[in-house]
Amino acid sequence: MAFVLEGLKVADFTWVGVGPITMKSLADHGATVVHVESRNRVEVLRNAPPFKDREPGIDRGSFFANFNSSKYGVGLDLRNPKAIEVAKRLIGWADVVAESFTPGTMSRLGLDYESVKAWKQEIIYFSSCQLGQTGPWASQPGYGTQLAALAGFYHLGSWPDKEPAGPYGAYTDFISPRFGVTAVLAALEHRRRTGDGVHIDLSQLEAGIQFLGPYVMEALNNHHEPELIGNRDELASPHGAFPCEGDLDANGFPDRWIVIAVFNDTQWGRLCDVMGNPLWARSSKFADLHSRKVNEDELERFLAEWTNQHEGEGLMQRLQSAGVPSGLVQNCEDLYKDQQLLHWGGFVELEHAVIGKHNYDGLAFHLSKTPGELRMPAPALGQHNGHVYKDILGMDPEEFDAFESEGVFT
Amino acid sequence: MPGAELPLSPYRVLDLTLEDGHLCGRTLADLGAEVIKIEPPAGDPSRFRGPFYENIPDPERSFTFWFQNLNKRGITLDINTVKGQQLLRRLAKSSDVIIESYPTGFMDSLGLGEEGLCLENSGLIVASISGFGRSGPHSGYHSPDIVVQAMGGLMYVTGDDDRPPLRIMPPQGYAHGAMEAAVGVMYALIHKGRTGQGQQVEASAQQAVLWSLMNATGMWDLNQVNVRREGALRGGVFGQPRKRLNWPCKDGFVTVTVVGSAAASTGNSTQNLVSWMIEEGFAQDFLAYYDFEAVDWADLAAEEYDLVIKPFHDFFNSKTKAELFEGALKRRIILYPVSTMTDHGRNMQLKDRKFFVKVAHPELGTEIIYPAPAVVFGGERLPVRRRPPLLGEHNREVYVQDLGISGDDLAEMAEESVI
């Protein structure tokens, strides 16, 4: 079956999260993506865990691999003046150029949009960074770990009486790529109709805020900071995570939880049935949504006593079968055993040149006629130098050898 | 973006989603598609979810509905009625995309599944958004946002380890799923542009949430380690002592990783921070000579860590978020404020980039501030073209002008609660 982006060529100068994930999507859907990196300034994620056998090594980690499936990888040291000429040849070949450096970096190299456009008018040029290409803070360096703080996710991912916590990791790095891919594909559509290229400027902060819209609007229009409400919900009760019986996890923590969310009195009735209609649940204190909201502390204590006597997965199945929204709070070990994810294609095993067989996160949407696919494992650093420079760019062997010996491909 | 034409201007999208899918159509609308939000006659459920403008609960004042339906037109239609189903089929004939997020099997049961709809329009793209996908053991599960955040692995790693796992509001599971559907629709539109063919797009919110776990899935796969939630600290994945990420300051918190090793890839951030502290008399002598580059922070003993970070605590506590961030910008320190939503209104970067726009809501006699679309396309931010629709606002425009239904028939359908 043909891939939707068959024939599209991408010069991928991005690194870390947003840029690589955005370009990975194009690669998984058939584009030829050449990912450019250098041993002289190693891509940050190549030095971050997890590593095979817990032994660090730039080609031993799955952090980088997960974000760079289906791509060719080349070494190119952009600090070497001769590398700039090679970069221009790569850009000359490409339909799409992508970069995610701190703004100004590509201009200093003479590889920014305006420079490229001067000799390649139809180029689609994607720039992603923390705060956008323009503005007083544009050149502030950083990662999604800090950007998640600036966007508001650490504040909102907290209990009202605790220090800001938030989700694990560089959360906004996983929001921004969706806006990146849709914009690049829109640019392709625009070019198909008009023949014109375009520059896309994607700010990770502005993309992150799209996931917080209603709360930002409350703050700016009502001049009122949204309240932190833990796991509760204005339209449901009970609505939260409750402890379950279960084994200790791999780290030795008794940490099994089930979420239960009751949005109306019908669902409450069903929950009571599954609980065997205990006396406490028949109290008028919990008879309707309003009463349950008023007496929510007490309700949660009773419910937790009940859930604590049950194993989580079985309880979820019983509740869902009875029509009560519920779900196991899954850790990553659980995710690999989840029958639904298994059915969906939640993880994809590929054989990496150094790591060997390991799992990549699967695609989150399926297309019936032109499905994407993780077509190749992520490249080891410089793995495809020969193929890309000689076969794709048509470099003759002597020139290739000369560049290589001068460290241009390092 | 040159001229009036936007990249998706030629395309018409019917948005039948509930609040778990709105962001998909919103994204296509931002890129220029003509998106028609189709609501049940009683109104989309998200019109009844807060927060509300001026805290007055009202279906025409919900920030949740407003934000997710900006740039769309809106009509009402009861697809549970035979007439409603006929109307939807007529609309589908002249549309390019239908997005829906009803429980699995519901559209099919009404004869409105992709097979029924595509019969008369082979170019139609039908996108379905659900919690878990449309087949498989959990496909029939109820999937409100908290269930998706739990089952996708996000809750387990959010919050504090001495508390239950925590859900992030506003609903993140819905947003992840809807955005993956938007990406899928874009690929389908590219294929349609080339071949004229439509196809089916299916998004799983659970799988979309899983994508937000960074390297945690890999941690289990390669090293059999379960990443846990760590509160304001980080770094204890392999059992090492955790290091502080979010630090209290005078008026809130800031985020900074106080390490210097090459592996942290923070350049000279920590050294620059220490230089600032020295200038202001906050660093004891030892800190001036402390070699942050040489220390492997993962293995640093707790006593030494506590000793080293004390001056940092004192320094941060002496300044506000804004003062610390201003200094960080000048000195190239990777330190950012832990923002509240209110802070965004004071964010000079967002102001300079005209990220917040005022949109007129004439029926309320006021302008409402919205975050604009995220993408700057060809030097111009994707525009806000219209405020979110009032309930049934474009019924006449769509049914009478576009479909050619007579005014009398429209009145009759309203009478019968079809629209």
Side-chain angles (χ1 to χ4, degrees):
Chain A
M1 200 175 306
F3 290 101
V4 64
L5 296 186
E6 195 94 57
L8 186 77
K9 300 166 202 152
V10 180
D12 176 10
F13 294 92
T14 66
W15 65 340
V16 199
V18 177
I21 297 170
T22 303
M23 294 303 117
K24 165 204 151 68
S25 175
L26 305 184
D28 290 339
H29 290 84
T32 302
V33 178
V34 174
H35 185 62
V36 177
E37 336 169 42
S38 172
R39 259 168 228 283
N40 284 343
R41 196 186 179 194
V42 175
E43 145 81 273
V44 174
L45 300 188
R46 284 191 180 276
N47 280 318
F51 301 105
K52 181 177 169 59
D53 306 324
R54 302 194 185 189
E55 191 185 302
I58 57 173
D59 290 322
R60 300 182 60 80
S62 71
F63 201 161
F64 171 85
N66 195 29
F67 301 164
N68 289 281
S69 62
S70 309
K71 298 181 186 179
Y72 292 124
V74 296
L76 190 63
D77 181 6
L78 293 171
R79 291 173 187 184
N80 185 322
K82 286 190 177 166
I84 302 304
E85 290 316 306
V86 177
K88 284 181 180 165
R89 276 154 82 171
L90 188 65
I91 292 170
W93 160 83
D95 299 293
V96 177
V97 172
E99 61 92 13
S100 63
F101 298 114
T102 307
T105 307
M106 288 301 255
S107 312
R108 284 194 292 280
L109 299 172
L111 300 174
D112 58 305
Y113 175 66
E114 292 302 328
S115 305
V116 172
K117 189 188 165 195
W119 55 274
K120 188 160 183 173
Q121 192 265 333
E122 71 280 16
I123 196 73
I124 292 170
Y125 194 109
F126 172 74
S127 293
S128 157
C129 65
Q130 294 279 89
L131 299 161
Q133 297 296 310
T134 60
W137 302 351
S139 61
Q140 171 72 349
Y143 300 95
T145 307
Q146 296 87 29
L147 211 281
L150 186 68
F153 290 101
Y154 289 170
H155 169 70
L156 290 175
S158 313
W159 296 92
D161 59 333
K162 299 275 269 185
E163 293 180 331
Y168 168 76
Y171 187 68
T172 44
D173 270 309
F174 313 102
I175 294 173
S176 217
R178 280 74 169 258
F179 294 93
V181 183
T182 48
V184 170
L185 295 177
L188 279 174
E189 170 64 17
H190 176 68
R191 195 184 68 170
R192 183 181 69 83
R193 292 205 314 276
T194 64
D196 293 335
V198 74
H199 183 216
I200 294 162
D201 165 12
L202 180 63
S203 148
Q204 197 178 144
L205 174 62
E206 292 164 8
I209 289 176
Q210 305 298 323
F211 275 37
L212 302 174
Y215 276 22
V216 178
M217 287 181 70
E218 181 184 18
L220 269 50
N221 291 288
N222 287 356
H223 309 289
H224 174 259
E225 180 66 26
E227 277 165 49
L228 301 176
I229 52 170
N231 284 325
R232 290 185 180 176
D233 190 289
E234 57 175 318
L235 300 178
S237 178
H239 189 283
F242 302 91
C244 301
E245 179 182 86
D247 295 334
L248 303 183
D249 70 16
N251 298 325
F253 293 104
D255 201 16
R256 303 302 282 169
W257 305 85
I258 190 170
V259 296
I260 297 175
V262 171
F263 287 86
N264 53 51
D265 296 340
T266 309
Q267 291 175 348
W268 170 247
R270 293 169 184 161
L271 173 60
C272 291
D273 287 345
V274 176
M275 291 192 293
N277 291 299
L279 199 58
W280 67 264
R282 283 178 248 164
S283 159
S284 60
K285 280 195 277 189
F286 310 123
D288 55 41
L289 182 59
H290 176 75
S291 317
R292 288 194 295 279
K293 290 305 290 183
V294 171
N295 300 298
E296 198 154 10
D297 287 344
E298 195 179 346
L299 172 64
E300 288 178 349
R301 276 197 303 276
F302 277 122
L303 189 57
E305 277 174 31
W306 177 71
T307 56
N308 215 2
Q309 298 162 31
H310 297 85
E311 174 274 320
E313 174 130 23
L315 190 56
M316 168 183 76
Q317 286 167 6
R318 278 169 63 203
L319 288 168
Q320 282 280 3
S321 304
V324 180
S326 71
L328 195 65
V329 177
Q330 303 206 92
N331 58 36
C332 286
E333 180 182 7
D334 298 324
L335 294 177
Y336 283 94
K337 295 176 189 160
D338 181 318
Q339 293 300 309
Q340 179 64 33
L341 285 175
L342 217 61
H343 174 85
W344 173 265
F347 298 100
V348 178
E349 191 183 70
L350 297 173
E351 185 155 8
H352 184 272
V354 176
I355 305 168
K357 283 185 181 166
H358 72 104
N359 282 297
Y360 291 67
D361 295 343
L363 300 173
F365 61 86
H366 293 165
L367 298 172
S368 62
K369 286 190 183 146
T370 58
E373 184 190 323
L374 278 66
R375 300 182 293 138
M376 293 192 288
L381 211 165
Q383 186 178 342
H384 302 102
N385 283 358
H387 177 61
V388 169
Y389 292 134
K390 289 189 224 170
D391 304 341
I392 293 183
L393 293 190
M395 215 174 259
D396 67 53
E398 283 138 42
E399 194 184 13
F400 178 87
D401 292 344
F403 278 139
E404 192 159 53
S405 63
E406 290 168 61
V408 174
F409 300 154
T410 301
Chain B
M1 184 66 211
E5 171 144 315
L6 288 162
L8 300 188
S9 289
Y11 295 111
R12 174 187 268 191
V13 177
L14 303 179
D15 182 355
L16 284 158
T17 62
L18 308 175
E19 65 176 315
D20 50 355
H22 285 169
L23 220 43
C24 175
R26 164 75 205 274
T27 303
L28 301 173
D30 288 352
L31 289 164
E34 180 208 344
V35 178
I36 303 173
K37 170 86 188 94
I38 300 179
E39 302 181 59
D44 185 274
S46 74
R47 288 185 180 274
F48 304 92
R49 176 173 280 284
F52 296 97
Y53 176 54
E54 291 177 331
N55 288 317
I56 300 168
D58 182 306
E60 300 293 4
R61 285 172 172 260
S62 159
F63 290 126
T64 298
F65 181 85
W66 280 352
F67 176 74
Q68 300 184 331
N69 293 286
L70 190 67
N71 279 338
K72 300 179 189 174
R73 291 197 291 168
I75 61 174
T76 49
L77 183 65
D78 184 355
I79 61 168
N80 292 298
T81 64
V82 174
K83 269 195 183 168
Q85 291 156 19
Q86 285 167 350
L87 278 175
L88 183 63
R89 275 193 211 96
R90 281 176 69 178
L91 284 167
K93 253 194 254 183
S94 59
S95 297
D96 302 284
V97 182
I98 288 192
I99 322 162
E100 64 91 15
S101 65
Y102 283 106
T104 302
F106 178 75
M107 292 286 283
D108 289 320
S109 75
L110 302 181
L112 298 173
E114 65 269 10
E115 281 180 22
L117 292 173
C118 296
L119 223 54
E120 290 179 315
N121 179 359
S122 64
L124 189 65
I125 294 161
V126 180
S128 297
I129 301 162
S130 58
F132 300 99
R134 302 203 305 162
S135 62
H138 298 164
S139 58
Y141 274 17
H142 289 271
S143 52
D145 184 67
I146 192 171
V147 169
V148 173
Q149 289 197 38
M151 295 287 279
L154 180 58
M155 271 186 81
Y156 187 80
V157 298
T158 302
D160 293 83
D161 68 351
D162 59 351
R163 293 282 175 93
L166 185 61
R167 168 214 194 187
I168 305 174
M169 277 290 276
Q172 298 296 298
Y174 292 163
H176 284 289
M179 283 309 298
E180 286 286 348
V183 176
V185 169
M186 283 306 308
Y187 281 113
L189 280 173
I190 297 286
H191 182 66
K192 182 184 162 94
R194 257 193 218 156
T195 64
Q197 275 187 347
Q199 62 180 312
Q200 183 205 322
V201 179
E202 182 189 4
S204 154
Q206 180 189 27
Q207 183 73 37
V209 167
L210 187 153
W211 257 103
S212 73
L213 303 180
M214 198 164 78
N215 60 345
T217 50
M219 286 284 192
W220 180 262
D221 183 48
L222 274 191
N223 294 164
Q224 287 74 56
V225 168
N226 252 329
V227 171
R228 300 187 83 245
R229 51 198 179 279
E230 300 186 295
L233 314 179
R234 290 294 186 276
V237 174
F238 292 102
Q240 318 95 312
R242 291 170 181 165
K243 308 297 187 296
R244 185 161 280 278
L245 178 70
N246 298 327
W247 303 70
C249 66
K250 209 173 185 177
D251 64 344
F253 288 81
V254 292
T255 291
V256 60
T257 313
V258 179
V259 293
S261 73
S265 296
T266 46
N268 296 319
S269 175
T270 306
Q271 293 293 4
N272 295 344
L273 173 58
V274 169
S275 302
W276 185 14
M277 289 162 60
I278 290 170
E279 278 170 39
E280 304 223 353
F282 275 91
Q284 287 101 320
D285 286 350
F286 79 93
L287 213 55
Y289 304 105
Y290 199 86
D291 189 352
F292 287 90
E293 298 301 321
V295 176
D296 187 345
W297 284 72
D299 299 331
L300 199 63
E303 303 77 45
E304 188 175 355
Y305 176 72
D306 290 342
L307 187 72
V308 174
I309 67 164
K310 168 116 189 0
F312 289 92
H313 268 300
D314 295 342
F315 181 67
F316 295 145
N317 275 321
S318 77
K319 296 197 182 309
T320 63
K321 285 194 277 194
E323 288 164 350
L324 287 166
F325 189 50
E326 201 177 312
L329 288 165
K330 275 190 205 136
R331 295 158 185 273
R332 224 174 158 76
I333 299 163
I334 302 181
L335 175 152
Y336 284 69
V338 174
S339 304
T340 61
M341 298 302 98
T342 306
D343 289 338
H344 290 319
R346 301 186 278 257
N347 184 310
M348 296 313 289
Q349 174 74 3
L350 294 174
K351 190 174 179 195
D352 187 83
R353 286 172 59 81
K354 300 183 174 58
F355 179 64
F356 292 113
V357 293
K358 286 184 176 165
V359 179
H361 280 239
E363 46 303 313
L364 294 173
T366 190
E367 290 181 321
I368 301 291
I369 302 169
Y370 284 78
V375 173
V376 178
F377 197 90
E380 283 177 40
R381 188 174 294 285
L382 292 174
V384 174
R385 295 175 292 141
R386 55 167 78 239
R387 64 136 172 68
L390 305 173
L391 184 60
E393 184 179 352
H394 302 98
N395 281 354
R396 181 159 290 273
E397 214 172 288
V398 171
Y399 291 126
V400 177
Q401 287 166 24
D402 293 2
L403 282 191
I405 289 167
S406 74
D408 287 351
D409 286 350
L410 191 73
E412 193 184 314
M413 292 191 309
E415 192 96 330
E416 294 168 359
S417 296
V418 173
I419 64 171

